[in-house]
Amino acid sequence: MSAPLLSVRDLHTRFRLRGGLFRRSASWLYAVNGVSFDLMRGETLGLVGESGCGKSTTARTIVGLCRAASGSARLGDVELTRLSRRRWLPVRRRIQMIFQDPYASLDPRQTVGSILAEPLRIHGLATRREVKLRAMALLDAVGLNPRHIYRYPHEFSGGQRQRIGIARALALEPELIICDEPVSALDVSIQAQILNLLKDLQTRFRLSYILISHDLSVVRHLCDRVAVMYLGKIVETAPRQTLFAEAAHPYTRALLSAVPIPDPTLEAKRRRIVLAGDVPSPAAPPPGCPFHPRCPERARVAGDRCALEAPLLAARAAGGAHACACHLSETTD
C-alpha cells in the first residue's frame, strides 16, 4: 500500500475559558479530543457530525489556524503541528482551505483579480505580467467569466463567490484542499453545481479532499470514506457504501435515520431514531463513552461499562476499513 498523504494521530485541541468575578478561574474546552485518521492521495474523506462536535476545529488545527495541544498531523513527511509561522509558508502551497461562508471569506475591498493574485505574489509563482493571465485562467477553471477579474465580491451571487473561494484555493496548485461545509450557506439549487465542480476539479488536478459537512446527502455524493465525529472524537469510520448500509455506532444510525427519503411511502414506514437530551458541553465531557448519556442502546451493554470506560476505535473486520468506537459493537462482532 502507498503511504497516506495526510496522517493524523491522537490530535487534541483545547481552548482556555476564563470566568469568575475577576476572570481568575479558568477551565478548558476540549474541542478535539484524540482524533486519528488517514487520507490517501486522490481520496475524499468526509467528516460528519452535529454542530459543535469539533469538525471545523480539526480542520483549522491541521492547517495551522488553531494550535494543537498534543498529537500529530503529518502531510507526507512534514509534521504540521510543530511548524513555525515562517516554516508554514512553503507548506501552504500543498494544503489549502475552502471556507463555509462565501460572504465573509473574501475581502470586500479587493477586486477578484487581486484576491486571486495575492497568493501568487506571496509565493513568487508569477511575474506581474503573468498574474493577470493566471487569475483569468483560475476564474475560467471554476466556470466564471475571466473578464470579471476587475469586479468586487459584492457584485457576485453566493454561488459565484464560493467559486471564487475555490479558485483562490486552487491558485497554489495544492495537493490537499479542506472544504469546510462549502455548500451549507448556498441555495439548494446551487449546491449541486458546486459539488459537481469540486468533483470535476478533483479529477482534473488530482486533488485530495477533506469534506466537512452535517449534510449526509452531500457526503454520500462526494466522499469515498466517512468519519463520524461526536464531542471531539471519531466514533465510526468506514467506506461510504459500508457506512450507509451497515452503520455500527448508535449515533451514526441516529444521523442516518434523520436523512429524508424522497419516496413518501418509504418515508412513512421508516423508524426515526430520536436522541434524548442535548449534546454535553465540551468543557465538561461525560466520563466513559461520550455518547452514553444519550445512547438509546446503552441498556444492551452489560453493567455500567459505558459510563466508566471509553471505547476504543477498533476495526470490526480484517483489514480495518470499518472501525467503530462502541462497547456494543465489541459484544456483537
Side-chain angles (χ1 to χ4, degrees), residues 235-236 242-243 245-253 256 297 316 322-326 328-329 332-333:
V235 297
E236 185 168 6
T242 302
L243 187 91
E246 306 171 16
H249 199 281
Y251 177 63
T252 308
R253 290 197 286 265
L256 293 175
E297 301 183 32
R316 303 189 71 239
H322 188 184
C324 180
C326 180
L328 181 63
S329 177
T332 54
D333 288 347

PDB file of all heavy atoms in Angstrom, residues 235-236 242-243 245-253 256 297 316 322-326 328-329 332-333:
ATOM      1  N   VAL A 235     -16.142   8.446  16.240  1.00  0.00           N
ATOM      2  CA  VAL A 235     -16.806   7.269  16.806  1.00  0.00           C
ATOM      3  C   VAL A 235     -17.000   6.160  15.774  1.00  0.00           C
ATOM      4  O   VAL A 235     -17.238   5.004  16.152  1.00  0.00           O
ATOM      5  CB  VAL A 235     -18.163   7.655  17.428  1.00  0.00           C
ATOM      6  CG1 VAL A 235     -17.966   8.610  18.595  1.00  0.00           C
ATOM      7  CG2 VAL A 235     -19.102   8.276  16.392  1.00  0.00           C
ATOM      8  N   GLU A 236     -16.895   6.493  14.492  1.00  0.00           N
ATOM      9  CA  GLU A 236     -17.007   5.454  13.458  1.00  0.00           C
ATOM     10  C   GLU A 236     -16.388   5.965  12.170  1.00  0.00           C
ATOM     11  O   GLU A 236     -16.505   7.144  11.832  1.00  0.00           O
ATOM     12  CB  GLU A 236     -18.465   5.059  13.222  1.00  0.00           C
ATOM     13  CG  GLU A 236     -18.627   3.906  12.248  1.00  0.00           C
ATOM     14  CD  GLU A 236     -20.033   3.311  12.218  1.00  0.00           C
ATOM     15  OE1 GLU A 236     -20.933   3.874  12.880  1.00  0.00           O
ATOM     16  OE2 GLU A 236     -20.226   2.286  11.539  1.00  0.00           O
ATOM     17  N   THR A 242     -20.357   1.218   2.846  1.00  0.00           N
ATOM     18  CA  THR A 242     -20.471   0.411   4.058  1.00  0.00           C
ATOM     19  C   THR A 242     -21.164   1.186   5.162  1.00  0.00           C
ATOM     20  O   THR A 242     -22.038   0.648   5.869  1.00  0.00           O
ATOM     21  CB  THR A 242     -19.074  -0.033   4.540  1.00  0.00           C
ATOM     22  OG1 THR A 242     -18.426  -0.765   3.494  1.00  0.00           O
ATOM     23  CG2 THR A 242     -19.163  -0.899   5.778  1.00  0.00           C
ATOM     24  N   LEU A 243     -20.807   2.454   5.326  1.00  0.00           N
ATOM     25  CA  LEU A 243     -21.393   3.253   6.405  1.00  0.00           C
ATOM     26  C   LEU A 243     -22.899   3.419   6.208  1.00  0.00           C
ATOM     27  O   LEU A 243     -23.679   3.277   7.156  1.00  0.00           O
ATOM     28  CB  LEU A 243     -20.725   4.619   6.461  1.00  0.00           C
ATOM     29  CG  LEU A 243     -21.156   5.450   7.660  1.00  0.00           C
ATOM     30  CD1 LEU A 243     -20.209   5.193   8.838  1.00  0.00           C
ATOM     31  CD2 LEU A 243     -21.175   6.941   7.345  1.00  0.00           C
ATOM     32  N   ALA A 245     -24.911   1.498   4.544  1.00  0.00           N
ATOM     33  CA  ALA A 245     -25.638   0.229   4.544  1.00  0.00           C
ATOM     34  C   ALA A 245     -25.532  -0.521   5.864  1.00  0.00           C
ATOM     35  O   ALA A 245     -26.473  -1.228   6.266  1.00  0.00           O
ATOM     36  CB  ALA A 245     -25.122  -0.674   3.410  1.00  0.00           C
ATOM     37  N   GLU A 246     -24.394  -0.377   6.575  1.00  0.00           N
ATOM     38  CA  GLU A 246     -24.157  -1.189   7.773  1.00  0.00           C
ATOM     39  C   GLU A 246     -23.577  -0.342   8.907  1.00  0.00           C
ATOM     40  O   GLU A 246     -22.566  -0.719   9.514  1.00  0.00           O
ATOM     41  CB  GLU A 246     -23.187  -2.334   7.446  1.00  0.00           C
ATOM     42  CG  GLU A 246     -23.599  -3.202   6.276  1.00  0.00           C
ATOM     43  CD  GLU A 246     -22.495  -4.161   5.871  1.00  0.00           C
ATOM     44  OE1 GLU A 246     -21.551  -4.366   6.662  1.00  0.00           O
ATOM     45  OE2 GLU A 246     -22.571  -4.693   4.752  1.00  0.00           O
ATOM     46  N   ALA A 247     -24.166   0.783   9.191  1.00  0.00           N
ATOM     47  CA  ALA A 247     -23.679   1.634  10.285  1.00  0.00           C
ATOM     48  C   ALA A 247     -23.694   0.857  11.596  1.00  0.00           C
ATOM     49  O   ALA A 247     -24.676   0.198  11.936  1.00  0.00           O
ATOM     50  CB  ALA A 247     -24.541   2.878  10.404  1.00  0.00           C
ATOM     51  N   ALA A 248     -22.593   0.928  12.362  1.00  0.00           N
ATOM     52  CA  ALA A 248     -22.456   0.140  13.583  1.00  0.00           C
ATOM     53  C   ALA A 248     -22.698   0.947  14.847  1.00  0.00           C
ATOM     54  O   ALA A 248     -23.162   0.411  15.850  1.00  0.00           O
ATOM     55  CB  ALA A 248     -21.067  -0.503  13.641  1.00  0.00           C
ATOM     56  N   HIS A 249     -22.369   2.229  14.839  1.00  0.00           N
ATOM     57  CA  HIS A 249     -22.491   3.039  16.057  1.00  0.00           C
ATOM     58  C   HIS A 249     -23.914   3.588  16.194  1.00  0.00           C
ATOM     59  O   HIS A 249     -24.514   4.037  15.206  1.00  0.00           O
ATOM     60  CB  HIS A 249     -21.494   4.199  16.015  1.00  0.00           C
ATOM     61  CG  HIS A 249     -21.213   4.796  17.342  1.00  0.00           C
ATOM     62  ND1 HIS A 249     -22.079   5.690  17.953  1.00  0.00           N
ATOM     63  CD2 HIS A 249     -20.179   4.628  18.214  1.00  0.00           C
ATOM     64  CE1 HIS A 249     -21.582   6.050  19.124  1.00  0.00           C
ATOM     65  NE2 HIS A 249     -20.430   5.427  19.305  1.00  0.00           N
ATOM     66  N   PRO A 250     -24.492   3.568  17.394  1.00  0.00           N
ATOM     67  CA  PRO A 250     -25.853   4.102  17.575  1.00  0.00           C
ATOM     68  C   PRO A 250     -25.999   5.552  17.143  1.00  0.00           C
ATOM     69  O   PRO A 250     -27.054   5.952  16.645  1.00  0.00           O
ATOM     70  CB  PRO A 250     -26.091   3.946  19.085  1.00  0.00           C
ATOM     71  CG  PRO A 250     -25.165   2.857  19.512  1.00  0.00           C
ATOM     72  CD  PRO A 250     -23.961   2.967  18.627  1.00  0.00           C
ATOM     73  N   TYR A 251     -24.953   6.355  17.324  1.00  0.00           N
ATOM     74  CA  TYR A 251     -25.020   7.755  16.910  1.00  0.00           C
ATOM     75  C   TYR A 251     -25.082   7.872  15.385  1.00  0.00           C
ATOM     76  O   TYR A 251     -25.859   8.670  14.846  1.00  0.00           O
ATOM     77  CB  TYR A 251     -23.802   8.514  17.448  1.00  0.00           C
ATOM     78  CG  TYR A 251     -23.744   9.954  17.016  1.00  0.00           C
ATOM     79  CD1 TYR A 251     -24.728  10.850  17.396  1.00  0.00           C
ATOM     80  CD2 TYR A 251     -22.691  10.424  16.223  1.00  0.00           C
ATOM     81  CE1 TYR A 251     -24.676  12.189  17.003  1.00  0.00           C
ATOM     82  CE2 TYR A 251     -22.631  11.751  15.843  1.00  0.00           C
ATOM     83  CZ  TYR A 251     -23.632  12.627  16.234  1.00  0.00           C
ATOM     84  OH  TYR A 251     -23.578  13.932  15.837  1.00  0.00           O
ATOM     85  N   THR A 252     -24.293   7.064  14.678  1.00  0.00           N
ATOM     86  CA  THR A 252     -24.332   7.071  13.216  1.00  0.00           C
ATOM     87  C   THR A 252     -25.704   6.657  12.720  1.00  0.00           C
ATOM     88  O   THR A 252     -26.255   7.268  11.785  1.00  0.00           O
ATOM     89  CB  THR A 252     -23.262   6.129  12.641  1.00  0.00           C
ATOM     90  OG1 THR A 252     -21.988   6.432  13.208  1.00  0.00           O
ATOM     91  CG2 THR A 252     -23.179   6.249  11.138  1.00  0.00           C
ATOM     92  N   ARG A 253     -26.292   5.631  13.331  1.00  0.00           N
ATOM     93  CA  ARG A 253     -27.630   5.185  12.919  1.00  0.00           C
ATOM     94  C   ARG A 253     -28.679   6.278  13.155  1.00  0.00           C
ATOM     95  O   ARG A 253     -29.610   6.440  12.370  1.00  0.00           O
ATOM     96  CB  ARG A 253     -28.007   3.898  13.649  1.00  0.00           C
ATOM     97  CG  ARG A 253     -27.193   2.696  13.190  1.00  0.00           C
ATOM     98  CD  ARG A 253     -27.851   1.394  13.600  1.00  0.00           C
ATOM     99  NE  ARG A 253     -27.707   1.153  15.034  1.00  0.00           N
ATOM    100  CZ  ARG A 253     -26.741   0.412  15.564  1.00  0.00           C
ATOM    101  NH1 ARG A 253     -25.815  -0.136  14.778  1.00  0.00           N
ATOM    102  NH2 ARG A 253     -26.678   0.220  16.863  1.00  0.00           N
ATOM    103  N   LEU A 256     -28.273   8.820  10.321  1.00  0.00           N
ATOM    104  CA  LEU A 256     -28.805   8.311   9.060  1.00  0.00           C
ATOM    105  C   LEU A 256     -30.329   8.280   9.068  1.00  0.00           C
ATOM    106  O   LEU A 256     -30.965   8.465   8.025  1.00  0.00           O
ATOM    107  CB  LEU A 256     -28.252   6.908   8.788  1.00  0.00           C
ATOM    108  CG  LEU A 256     -26.750   6.816   8.501  1.00  0.00           C
ATOM    109  CD1 LEU A 256     -26.308   5.371   8.369  1.00  0.00           C
ATOM    110  CD2 LEU A 256     -26.412   7.585   7.233  1.00  0.00           C
ATOM    111  N   GLU A 297     -29.261   2.621  23.043  1.00  0.00           N
ATOM    112  CA  GLU A 297     -28.966   1.191  23.143  1.00  0.00           C
ATOM    113  C   GLU A 297     -28.019   0.882  24.289  1.00  0.00           C
ATOM    114  O   GLU A 297     -27.466  -0.219  24.367  1.00  0.00           O
ATOM    115  CB  GLU A 297     -28.366   0.701  21.822  1.00  0.00           C
ATOM    116  CG  GLU A 297     -29.289   0.931  20.621  1.00  0.00           C
ATOM    117  CD  GLU A 297     -28.704   0.368  19.352  1.00  0.00           C
ATOM    118  OE1 GLU A 297     -27.991  -0.644  19.436  1.00  0.00           O
ATOM    119  OE2 GLU A 297     -28.959   0.939  18.270  1.00  0.00           O
ATOM    120  N   ARG A 316     -13.785  -3.550  12.860  1.00  0.00           N
ATOM    121  CA  ARG A 316     -14.856  -4.525  13.014  1.00  0.00           C
ATOM    122  C   ARG A 316     -14.592  -5.792  12.211  1.00  0.00           C
ATOM    123  O   ARG A 316     -15.258  -6.805  12.391  1.00  0.00           O
ATOM    124  CB  ARG A 316     -16.191  -3.929  12.585  1.00  0.00           C
ATOM    125  CG  ARG A 316     -16.563  -2.668  13.347  1.00  0.00           C
ATOM    126  CD  ARG A 316     -17.982  -2.228  13.039  1.00  0.00           C
ATOM    127  NE  ARG A 316     -18.961  -3.130  13.641  1.00  0.00           N
ATOM    128  CZ  ARG A 316     -19.884  -3.802  12.960  1.00  0.00           C
ATOM    129  NH1 ARG A 316     -19.926  -3.716  11.629  1.00  0.00           N
ATOM    130  NH2 ARG A 316     -20.760  -4.585  13.561  1.00  0.00           N
ATOM    131  N   HIS A 322     -13.545  -0.688   8.227  1.00  0.00           N
ATOM    132  CA  HIS A 322     -14.695  -0.240   9.022  1.00  0.00           C
ATOM    133  C   HIS A 322     -14.324  -0.342  10.495  1.00  0.00           C
ATOM    134  O   HIS A 322     -14.054  -1.430  10.999  1.00  0.00           O
ATOM    135  CB  HIS A 322     -15.919  -1.110   8.712  1.00  0.00           C
ATOM    136  CG  HIS A 322     -17.184  -0.606   9.325  1.00  0.00           C
ATOM    137  ND1 HIS A 322     -18.378  -1.288   9.236  1.00  0.00           N
ATOM    138  CD2 HIS A 322     -17.449   0.522  10.048  1.00  0.00           C
ATOM    139  CE1 HIS A 322     -19.320  -0.593   9.870  1.00  0.00           C
ATOM    140  NE2 HIS A 322     -18.782   0.493  10.370  1.00  0.00           N
ATOM    141  N   ALA A 323     -14.288   0.796  11.179  1.00  0.00           N
ATOM    142  CA  ALA A 323     -13.926   0.822  12.589  1.00  0.00           C
ATOM    143  C   ALA A 323     -14.997   1.565  13.374  1.00  0.00           C
ATOM    144  O   ALA A 323     -15.620   2.509  12.875  1.00  0.00           O
ATOM    145  CB  ALA A 323     -12.569   1.492  12.803  1.00  0.00           C
ATOM    146  N   CYS A 324     -15.212   1.132  14.617  1.00  0.00           N
ATOM    147  CA  CYS A 324     -16.263   1.706  15.450  1.00  0.00           C
ATOM    148  C   CYS A 324     -15.788   1.776  16.892  1.00  0.00           C
ATOM    149  O   CYS A 324     -15.096   0.884  17.376  1.00  0.00           O
ATOM    150  CB  CYS A 324     -17.537   0.857  15.334  1.00  0.00           C
ATOM    151  SG  CYS A 324     -18.924   1.440  16.317  1.00  0.00           S
ATOM    152  N   ALA A 325     -16.169   2.858  17.582  1.00  0.00           N
ATOM    153  CA  ALA A 325     -15.837   3.025  18.999  1.00  0.00           C
ATOM    154  C   ALA A 325     -17.107   2.854  19.818  1.00  0.00           C
ATOM    155  O   ALA A 325     -17.774   3.834  20.161  1.00  0.00           O
ATOM    156  CB  ALA A 325     -15.212   4.394  19.250  1.00  0.00           C
ATOM    157  N   CYS A 326     -17.466   1.595  20.092  1.00  0.00           N
ATOM    158  CA  CYS A 326     -18.701   1.311  20.818  1.00  0.00           C
ATOM    159  C   CYS A 326     -18.573  -0.049  21.513  1.00  0.00           C
ATOM    160  O   CYS A 326     -18.176  -1.025  20.867  1.00  0.00           O
ATOM    161  CB  CYS A 326     -19.909   1.320  19.868  1.00  0.00           C
ATOM    162  SG  CYS A 326     -21.487   0.971  20.655  1.00  0.00           S
ATOM    163  N   LEU A 328     -20.996  -1.878  22.436  1.00  0.00           N
ATOM    164  CA  LEU A 328     -21.999  -2.759  21.843  1.00  0.00           C
ATOM    165  C   LEU A 328     -21.462  -3.437  20.598  1.00  0.00           C
ATOM    166  O   LEU A 328     -21.710  -4.625  20.358  1.00  0.00           O
ATOM    167  CB  LEU A 328     -23.258  -1.958  21.505  1.00  0.00           C
ATOM    168  CG  LEU A 328     -24.427  -2.735  20.904  1.00  0.00           C
ATOM    169  CD1 LEU A 328     -24.936  -3.771  21.885  1.00  0.00           C
ATOM    170  CD2 LEU A 328     -25.544  -1.798  20.487  1.00  0.00           C
ATOM    171  N   SER A 329     -20.680  -2.709  19.802  1.00  0.00           N
ATOM    172  CA  SER A 329     -20.074  -3.297  18.607  1.00  0.00           C
ATOM    173  C   SER A 329     -19.084  -4.392  18.982  1.00  0.00           C
ATOM    174  O   SER A 329     -18.975  -5.414  18.300  1.00  0.00           O
ATOM    175  CB  SER A 329     -19.373  -2.203  17.809  1.00  0.00           C
ATOM    176  OG  SER A 329     -18.721  -2.735  16.680  1.00  0.00           O
ATOM    177  N   THR A 332     -21.100  -7.617  19.814  1.00  0.00           N
ATOM    178  CA  THR A 332     -21.884  -8.254  18.771  1.00  0.00           C
ATOM    179  C   THR A 332     -21.045  -8.858  17.672  1.00  0.00           C
ATOM    180  O   THR A 332     -21.518  -9.658  16.891  1.00  0.00           O
ATOM    181  CB  THR A 332     -22.862  -7.241  18.142  1.00  0.00           C
ATOM    182  OG1 THR A 332     -22.128  -6.107  17.700  1.00  0.00           O
ATOM    183  CG2 THR A 332     -23.901  -6.798  19.173  1.00  0.00           C
ATOM    184  N   ASP A 333     -19.785  -8.456  17.539  1.00  0.00           N
ATOM    185  CA  ASP A 333     -18.923  -8.977  16.473  1.00  0.00           C
ATOM    186  C   ASP A 333     -18.368 -10.353  16.842  1.00  0.00           C
ATOM    187  O   ASP A 333     -18.144 -10.650  17.983  1.00  0.00           O
ATOM    188  CB  ASP A 333     -17.760  -8.015  16.215  1.00  0.00           C
ATOM    189  CG  ASP A 333     -18.265  -6.764  15.515  1.00  0.00           C
ATOM    190  OD1 ASP A 333     -19.410  -6.794  15.034  1.00  0.00           O
ATOM    191  OD2 ASP A 333     -17.522  -5.764  15.476  1.00  0.00           O
TER     192      ASP A 333
END
